[in-house]
Amino acid sequence: MQNILVFLLVFGIIVVVHEFGHFYFAKRAGILVREFSIGFGPKIFFHRKGETTYTIRLLPVGGYVRMAGYEEEADLRAGMPVTLMLNDKQVVEKIDIQNKHQSVDSLPLEVTSFDLEDELFISGRVDGVDEIETYTVSETALLIEKDGTMLQIAPRKRQFQSASLPNRMLTNFAGPLNNFILAIVAFMLLGFMQGGVPSSEPLIGEVQPDAPAAEAGLETGDRILSIEGNEISSWMDMVGVIEQSPDTALDFEVKKTNGTVTEMTITPQADENSDAGKVGIGQTMDDSLSSKIAYGFVQPWSIVMQIFTILGSFLTGGFSLDQLGGPVAIYATTQTVVRAGAIGVISWIGFLSVNLGIMNLLPIPALDGGKLLLNIIEGIRKKPISEEKEGLITLVGVGFLLVLMLAVTWNDIQTFFLN
């Protein structure tokens, strides 16, 4: 249960922060945000504030911001029975598609035609009378969907497509941007919680007892100058040489804490799981204020570079589904993260947030990156792509993502539960 709760918490934080980016910039651009949802599927709770309905839905993996202009007006159709609520001026304030509850001041109507974008009217037959009545609809009228969710109608001027191109691009980019900001905050917080951050210098921190490093005489505070005659300028340089040399004697040049330089031979042991060489040492911690703040930027950038390396393997032919992970892999890894406590959870939030930000910026239709690409094309052409073509492009993107997600999920199930 603890693993499930942490998984939902981590995923929920990342999704809410991502969607809030879209939400904030959409509102700032004057776009009507009809719904802010956490989760998918059937609604289990909703609260309306201002012109936005906030919902929690049954499936807690994901979420969305429902901006006007991305969908039709719910399920309103000609021939449908609805209930209208009018104000004192006989202007429609609510259109209830449920058509379940009728009060004294409500009006049953069989819809014949409507326009909730430009002319703002709804026409139909009242109580089966043949004569058709037409009613003006308020710009802020509410549409009550079949599941009871109340959404504000969207006049065309409040729709996404009516916003300026720069504002639409900012709205599309804001989700990934918020993920990067969350990662920066998470890793910066991590630096302070740990009391420092791992130093990039080739300095020896903790030395494990009975490990090759301890047997050779390495001590905390020693600096590695060279290995096999090759200069070592960073911790990663040293780790790279050691990991590539399991069961191989290596000549180290070491500067001791008292300033003397000595040579020693160390043979890395092969790790049981990865076969990489290990000598049993840890990094020193840099506890300066500047390093803790810088960690918020350095660590996300390091993750970005790792992701680009994986994406580059698409082009080089070295790609494997094992390099990707979906919700199943995230949940399985969360079990390990929970054992590391708060530090592990915060680090996991930062790592996943960077991944979500980068993956959403890929130029794939249906993703934020695909939408940005269409925005750029529109800017070059000086006119938007037709709704039909954009819909087809998005459909292809959704199909690709669905196939990829199914493949990744099945691979994750095999890796974590069937092997």
Side-chain angles (χ1 to χ4, degrees), residues 79-82 84 107-113 122-135:
M80 175 181 288
V82 301
L84 305 182
L107 181 70
L109 184 81
E110 181 185 336
V111 179
T112 55
S113 63
I122 185 168
S123 298
R125 297 181 178 88
V126 180
D127 289 333
V129 178
D130 289 338
E131 184 178 350
I132 295 176
E133 298 285 348
T134 299
Y135 298 89

Side-chain angles (χ1 to χ4, degrees), residues 351-365:
F351 176 80
L352 290 178
S353 196
V354 174
N355 275 266
L356 181 62
I358 292 295
M359 297 308 290
N360 262 283
L361 284 178
L362 294 179
I364 299 174

Side-chain angles (χ1 to χ4, degrees), residues 66-275:
R66 190 170 170 184
M67 289 178 275
Y70 272 133
E71 80 292 321
E72 296 182 17
E73 297 295 337
D75 294 321
L76 187 59
R77 297 286 184 273
M80 175 181 288
V82 301
T83 302
L84 305 182
M85 272 66 81
L86 311 176
N87 61 19
D88 295 338
K89 298 180 180 180
Q90 296 300 295
V91 174
V92 177
E93 295 288 354
K94 287 184 181 179
I95 303 173
D96 190 349
I97 293 178
Q98 297 180 107
N99 197 34
K100 292 180 180 178
H101 309 291
Q102 295 187 11
S103 59
V104 177
D105 58 348
S106 65
L107 181 70
L109 184 81
E110 181 185 336
V111 179
T112 55
S113 63
F114 62 92
D115 183 347
L116 303 182
E117 295 182 337
D118 298 306
E119 298 182 26
L120 300 181
F121 75 88
I122 185 168
S123 298
R125 297 181 178 88
V126 180
D127 289 333
V129 178
D130 289 338
E131 184 178 350
I132 295 176
E133 298 285 348
T134 299
Y135 298 89
T136 300
V137 179
S138 169
E139 288 189 355
T140 59
L142 296 179
L143 197 65
I144 304 176
E145 297 188 306
K146 289 182 177 180
D147 65 355
T149 303
M150 291 189 294
L151 301 175
Q152 186 170 310
I153 69 165
R156 194 171 301 279
K157 64 182 180 180
R158 298 293 312 280
Q159 294 184 13
F160 181 82
Q161 293 84 352
S162 298
S164 67
L165 180 59
N167 278 331
R168 280 182 280 141
M169 294 184 72
L170 278 173
T171 301
N172 286 329
F173 178 67
L177 174 64
N178 263 22
N179 284 128
F180 298 139
I181 293 174
L182 174 61
I184 290 171
V185 172
F187 284 113
M188 201 177 292
L189 177 61
L190 201 61
F192 283 93
M193 291 179 65
Q194 294 175 149
V197 300
S199 172
S200 61
E201 298 292 317
L203 295 170
I204 305 302
E206 180 185 1
V207 180
Q208 297 174 7
D210 302 323
E215 293 174 356
L218 271 181
E219 299 174 317
T220 299
D222 291 349
R223 175 183 287 270
I224 307 301
L225 300 178
S226 69
I227 301 178
E228 290 293 303
N230 298 312
E231 182 181 355
I232 298 297
S233 58
S234 70
W235 176 265
M236 292 308 298
D237 286 346
M238 178 178 61
V239 170
V241 175
I242 293 173
E243 288 186 342
Q244 294 173 18
S245 309
D247 302 320
T248 303
L250 299 174
D251 293 327
F252 283 67
E253 185 180 20
V254 182
K255 185 176 182 179
K256 305 293 287 184
T257 54
N258 61 8
T260 61
V261 177
T262 184
E263 294 184 356
M264 57 183 68
T265 299
I266 305 175
T267 302
Q269 294 177 339
D271 184 85
E272 295 180 358
N273 298 319
S274 64
D275 292 330

Side-chain angles (χ1 to χ4, degrees), residues 295-351:
Y295 192 62
F297 298 89
V298 173
Q299 191 63 12
W301 181 250
S302 175
I303 297 172
V304 168
M305 291 296 98
Q306 295 174 31
I307 296 172
F308 282 161
T309 300
I310 294 173
L311 294 176
S313 64
F314 273 108
L315 303 176
T316 60
F319 172 75
S320 169
L321 278 178
D322 293 334
Q323 296 172 302
L324 299 178
V328 173
I330 294 173
Y331 172 73
T333 307
T334 299
Q335 300 181 65
T336 303
V337 170
V338 169
R339 290 194 288 268
I343 287 178
V345 172
I346 293 173
S347 178
W348 191 224
I349 288 174
F351 176 80

